Amino acid sequence: MHMRAVGEPTRPSETHQGIEWLTNFAPTDTETAAQLLDSLHIVSETTFRQGLLEHLRAVLEGAANTEKPAALYGVRSCKPTDTMFIDNVSPLVSGGDGGGSELIVQNIIRDVQRSLDTSVVTRNAVTIDLLRKRRVRSLVFVSDYAGSGEESLRYARAWLRNATIRSWRSLGLVRLHLVLFAAATTGLRRIRASGLYDGVSVLHRGMDLASAQWHKDQLRRVRKLCEDYARRPEEGAGWSRSEGLLVFEHTVPNNLPSILRQSKGPRSQRPDGKWAPFFENRTAPPGLMRDLVGYRPERNAEPGARGLGRVQLTGSGTLHVRYRGGIRDLVEVLGHIAKGHRHPEQLATDVSVSVPVARNLALQVQKLGLVDSQTRLTDAGWRELRAAKAKPRVVVSRLRGSQEPYYPGTLRESR
């Protein structure tokens, strides 16, 4: 029986709202609904602020392709026809269109600007004349999350509709960069395929149905549930079908499956026939975030980048790296690299760590001579993998198929 540690966030299915929400579903669908609900990632505002601030600083100080000086801007909502600096369209963040996200990102940008030299970042460059005068070489756009990717794409297009900005970019005088705390698989793919950005840097990739790494039949059942119980089936997978599972303490993204956000449903199984919402529209009921903040699905603990330590290479398939709090099996990393997953973002999703930690793990195996500079397995890497007879680990949800009826944990008898 799994015991949750003192102070560990409550599972969503164990909250009052979760218990009520599960009564919307037929008994045969309740387990799948609980699986979806308990796969949410609830990021605290403190974690978000600290993570994005450190990530943004690292991009500006260490990334060779971010030319200096850089001008920083928070991504904001733009209309499809907006042109930056034309007809009162400005990069200034003025209000709460982003549900609090834009103002928090703006505060993070100010903190970074104050901490870095003006040769690295330029401050308050809110007109095109100031960009020209200060010879800005990089426009760095910052956002908390790219679910569908649409907001970040519209923002870049608003800048590139300006003839001067477009000319500077075509001449190689300025480059566009996007820095994200997190991105869903679909949104990140759309952004990179657009060609609007010269660089995209993301701290956490995934946290959506595509990266939940359930078995195929589990994923199929969850997707069917989202469609069957959605008020509008075409919105069942969330905005632009991006299937998000990430929720911030300060906002509920619209790319969550709609059954997690809707206030009405077509086929609630409750006696009164009314839909019991979990997140009503894009807000959390009072007290819910207090119970859930910091929650994430039960997976292996993520090693901090500073915690990585001594590596042992045995040649017998027992390769691992010690870090504070446990051991990360590097053979597992080699197994995913052997499948062609060489990009740090792919590895981060595969082994459930942040992108910087995945990059550090890839660097570890490169230093050991197990992969080359292109992150391809060397002969030594193949020997280590064969010795372990390793296969890439598949992370599955804690909930497994069962014929037993589902009862919320808070209603069970104590044992």
Side-chain angles (χ1 to χ4, degrees), residues 235-277:
E235 298 177 2
W239 184 259
S240 292
R241 302 191 63 80
S242 47
E243 302 181 325
L245 291 174
L246 173 64
V247 177
F248 290 99
E249 184 179 5
H250 58 272
T251 188
V252 177
N254 64 358
N255 75 319
L256 288 179
S258 63
I259 60 174
L260 292 167
R261 298 178 286 111
Q262 65 192 19
S263 56
K264 296 181 181 179
R267 50 179 293 190
S268 174
Q269 301 298 305
R270 293 164 58 86
D272 59 7
K274 295 182 179 179
W275 185 268

Side-chain angles (χ1 to χ4, degrees), residues 366-395:
Q366 183 179 344
K367 287 181 177 178
L368 290 168
L370 303 174
V371 301
D372 59 21
S373 60
Q374 302 300 314
T375 320
R376 294 184 175 88
L377 287 183
T378 62
D379 290 342
W382 283 112
R383 284 195 299 271
E384 192 71 34
L385 196 57
R386 283 193 294 269
K389 297 182 180 179
K391 294 182 179 179
R393 172 177 61 95
V394 176
V395 181

Side-chain angles (χ1 to χ4, degrees), residues 5-56:
V6 175
E8 190 175 353
T10 304
R11 279 190 289 265
S13 64
E14 296 172 344
T15 63
H16 171 73
Q17 287 82 3
I19 294 168
E20 288 295 306
W21 182 78
L22 288 171
T23 63
N24 293 311
F25 303 94
T28 54
D29 293 327
T30 306
E31 185 180 355
T32 299
Q35 177 182 333
L36 170 65
L37 193 60
D38 287 339
S39 296
L40 291 173
H41 299 249
I42 315 293
V43 175
S44 72
E45 185 174 325
T46 300
T47 297
F48 164 63
R49 283 179 179 270
Q50 189 64 27
L52 183 56
L53 188 147
E54 292 180 357
H55 183 51
L56 179 56

Side-chain angles (χ1 to χ4, degrees), residues 25-206:
F25 303 94
T28 54
D29 293 327
T30 306
E31 185 180 355
T32 299
Q35 177 182 333
L36 170 65
L37 193 60
D38 287 339
S39 296
L40 291 173
H41 299 249
I42 315 293
V43 175
S44 72
E45 185 174 325
T46 300
T47 297
F48 164 63
R49 283 179 179 270
Q50 189 64 27
L52 183 56
L53 188 147
E54 292 180 357
H55 183 51
L56 179 56
R57 282 182 59 98
V59 168
L60 294 169
E61 294 179 319
N65 62 343
T66 306
E67 297 186 50
K68 316 298 187 302
L72 311 183
Y73 303 95
V75 173
R76 52 170 298 185
S77 298
C78 286
K79 298 176 182 177
T81 57
D82 280 351
T83 301
M84 198 58 65
F85 306 119
I86 303 295
D87 294 333
N88 298 317
V89 177
S90 166
L92 288 174
V93 173
S94 57
D97 290 343
S101 301
E102 293 176 357
L103 294 178
I104 295 174
V105 169
Q106 192 64 30
N107 289 335
I108 292 170
I109 288 174
R110 287 175 186 154
D111 289 344
V112 171
Q113 287 174 331
R114 290 170 184 157
S115 66
L116 296 179
D117 190 87
T118 53
S119 63
V120 178
V121 295
T122 185
R123 299 168 189 167
N124 303 317
V126 294
T127 68
I128 201 163
D129 289 335
L130 283 173
L131 291 174
R132 181 184 291 109
K133 180 179 179 180
R134 296 174 185 176
R135 299 178 183 274
V136 169
R137 301 303 304 274
S138 295
L139 303 176
V140 179
F141 305 149
V142 186
S143 183
D144 59 348
Y145 184 49
S148 66
E150 185 171 319
E151 186 174 65
S152 296
L153 293 175
R154 283 189 177 184
Y155 191 69
R157 290 187 183 109
W159 279 83
L160 293 174
R161 284 192 192 94
N162 185 293
T164 300
I165 299 295
R166 192 166 61 249
S167 174
W168 288 350
R169 191 190 187 212
S170 66
L171 293 172
L173 300 176
V174 70
R175 294 166 61 88
L176 272 60
H177 298 268
L178 179 63
V179 176
L180 300 163
F181 176 85
T185 304
T186 299
L188 189 59
R189 185 183 299 119
R190 288 183 62 194
I191 290 170
R192 288 200 161 125
S194 71
L196 295 175
Y197 286 99
D198 300 292
V200 180
S201 182
V202 58
L203 183 60
H204 297 283
R205 171 187 170 177

